[in-house]
């Protein structure tokens, strides 16, 4: 009786009924999902400067890898425990460049999981909804990101001289940084510009100004 109990416990830990047809269907579904994710990412993100072909391929094929891991975890409890231990020591050192990349990476993981569990309809509906959401949100008007105006001057009274110029050519101006020495004043102003060329030209014409730089940023400046 004791031997039968041990044998039954060992068999329950070692294998489960995951047939070959199920494995092939899950892997093919994950491959189809990977190709779809690859195409959508290439269409959506190719216009941005952060597009990486290597990340695109890795992100897409991650669904196939995840699907294989899920199938293996279903076939054996021992393998699933080993997978948890192996994945816990993995460290991803490359930082994700943008939130959009994070979305596609998580999408790839989720597709691999649902395909590995045989829930192919969830993978299909998820792909359609995410694609529709990504395309529709591109048409939503977004306010232009604020810009940074960097001014170097020899005149200590540059603040009062810049006020009328900023009111004319920009709005929402806020001084983010100010550095003052006996010989030089440097300011960083965050603002939304109405006329970029006119603003730079007007600030450069202020007496005592030695340098003007206007640049964009992501809106996450913290000074």
């Amino acid at each position: 009786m004791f031997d039968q109990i041990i044998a039954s416990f060992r068999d329950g830990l070692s294998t489960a009924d995951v047939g070959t047809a199920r494995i092939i269907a899950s892997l093919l579904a994950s491959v189809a999902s990977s190709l779809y994710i690859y195409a959508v990412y290439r269409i959506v993100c190719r216009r941005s400067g952060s597009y990486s072909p290597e990340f695109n391929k890795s992100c897409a094929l991650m669904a196939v890898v995840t699907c294989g891991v899920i199938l293996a975890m279903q076939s054996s409890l021992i393998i699933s425990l080993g997978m948890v231990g192996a994945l816990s020591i993995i460290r991803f050192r490359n930082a994700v460049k943008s939130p959009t990349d994070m979305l596609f990476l998580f999408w790839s993981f989720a597709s691999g999981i649902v395909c590995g569990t045989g829930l192919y309809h969830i993978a299909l509906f998820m792909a359609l909804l995410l694609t529709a959401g990504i395309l529709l949100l591109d048409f939503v008007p977004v306010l232009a990101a604020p810009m940074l105006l960097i001014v170097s001057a020899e005149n200590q009274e540059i603040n009062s001289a810049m006020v009328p110029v900023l009111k004319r050519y920009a709005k929402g101006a806020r001084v983010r940084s100010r550095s003052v020495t006996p010989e030089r004043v440097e300011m960083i102003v965050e603002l939304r510009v109405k006329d970029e060329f006119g603003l730079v030209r007007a600030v450069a014409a202020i007496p005592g100004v030695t340098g003007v730089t206007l640049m964009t940023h992501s809106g996450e400046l913290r000074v």
Side-chain angles (χ1 to χ4, degrees):
M1 177 65 69
F2 182 75
D3 293 339
Q4 292 178 353
I5 294 176
I6 296 299
S8 177
F9 183 72
R10 184 176 61 249
D11 293 339
L13 288 178
S14 60
T15 59
D17 187 14
V18 180
T20 304
R22 163 73 181 284
I23 294 175
I24 294 175
S26 297
L27 290 176
L28 289 178
S30 66
V31 170
S33 179
S34 298
L35 295 176
Y36 184 80
I37 294 173
Y38 178 86
V40 174
Y41 183 85
R42 184 170 183 176
I43 293 173
V44 173
C45 298
R46 193 175 181 85
R47 296 169 295 178
S48 64
S50 62
Y51 174 76
S52 172
E54 296 300 324
F55 177 82
N56 193 5
K57 290 184 285 186
S58 300
C59 180
L61 294 177
M62 192 67 68
V64 181
V65 177
T66 306
C67 179
V69 171
I70 295 299
L71 290 172
M73 293 176 68
Q74 292 181 73
S75 66
S76 173
L77 180 58
I78 294 178
I79 293 178
S80 65
L81 294 176
M83 288 290 183
V84 172
L87 293 175
S88 66
I89 64 175
I90 295 177
R91 297 291 183 269
F92 297 96
R93 298 184 181 276
N94 293 334
V96 178
K97 295 181 180 180
S98 69
T100 304
D101 291 350
M102 181 65 72
L103 168 65
F104 279 91
L105 188 62
F106 189 71
W107 181 7
S108 182
F109 275 116
S111 296
I113 292 174
V114 297
C115 289
T117 54
L119 302 175
Y120 312 128
H121 58 289
I122 294 181
L124 175 61
F125 293 148
M126 181 173 60
L128 294 177
L129 289 175
L130 284 173
T131 304
I134 292 172
L135 295 178
L136 289 176
L137 291 177
D138 280 343
F139 293 98
V140 177
V142 180
L143 293 176
M147 306 185 74
L148 294 180
L149 178 67
I150 305 174
V151 181
S152 298
E154 298 175 350
N155 187 355
Q156 299 288 342
E157 304 298 328
I158 186 64
N159 290 344
S160 57
M162 286 182 57
V163 170
V165 176
L166 295 179
K167 288 183 177 180
R168 180 178 179 183
Y169 294 100
K171 58 182 179 179
R174 293 185 298 173
V175 177
R176 286 293 193 174
S177 175
R178 183 184 289 107
S179 176
V180 180
T181 64
E183 298 82 14
R184 180 177 296 274
V185 177
E186 292 186 356
M187 297 177 55
I188 299 178
V189 183
E190 184 183 50
L191 41 72
R192 297 186 183 276
V193 183
K194 302 176 184 178
D195 182 2
E196 298 181 10
F197 181 74
L199 174 64
V200 173
R201 184 174 56 184
V203 174
I206 296 176
V209 173
T210 59
V212 181
T213 302
L214 184 64
M215 59 183 296
T216 60
H217 72 102
S218 62
E220 299 179 356
L221 179 68
R222 294 179 176 87
V223 180

